[in-house]
Amino acid sequence: MQCICQVESNCKMPNPVCRMDVVSFSCGPYQIKEPHYHDAKLMGKDLDGDWKKCTETFDCSERCVQGYMAWYAISSRIGHDPTCEDFARIHNGVTNGYKNSKTLGYWFNVATCLGRRVGL
């Protein structure tokens, strides 16, 4: 998760917390979109009651990403034990990002942070 945070925001709280990202707002150090927040809540996570409020803290933002991954990055859904690549690509490309070629560049950035060599 640390490298996802690095790629998204250099692991710093953005100011302002939310920014327009293509077609919708992304907030906090993990650049969480509102639908991600609501999906993470489905896992029963206590997420401070509000998307923007949650993304204003590292703790809640991390719980939100963990909840989202617990819902979507699971072996019964993706057909194998999730890898760091799966987590990164789902974070970037939403539910089916793990198999979307458009998330490979994002994975390359996360893998570089992890110190891994990947071919694209």
Side-chain angles (χ1 to χ4, degrees), residues 4 8 14 17-19 21 24-38 40 47 51-52 54-66 68 91:
I4 290 174
E8 293 293 352
V17 172
C18 298
R19 68 176 175 86
D21 180 19
S24 62
F25 281 98
S26 296
C27 301
Y30 289 91
Q31 292 297 284
I32 297 167
K33 296 183 181 298
E34 190 171 14
H36 289 83
Y37 171 84
H38 291 293
L47 298 175
W51 162 56
K52 288 184 181 179
C54 175
T55 60
E56 291 173 353
T57 69
F58 280 89
D59 177 63
C60 191
S61 293
E62 288 172 5
R63 285 185 280 127
C64 185
V65 173
Q66 290 167 347
Y68 190 80
H91 180 77

Side-chain angles (χ1 to χ4, degrees), residues 33-46:
K33 296 183 181 298
E34 190 171 14
H36 289 83
Y37 171 84
H38 291 293
D39 286 350
K41 284 182 72 172
L42 294 173
M43 292 307 295
K45 295 284 185 179
D46 174 25

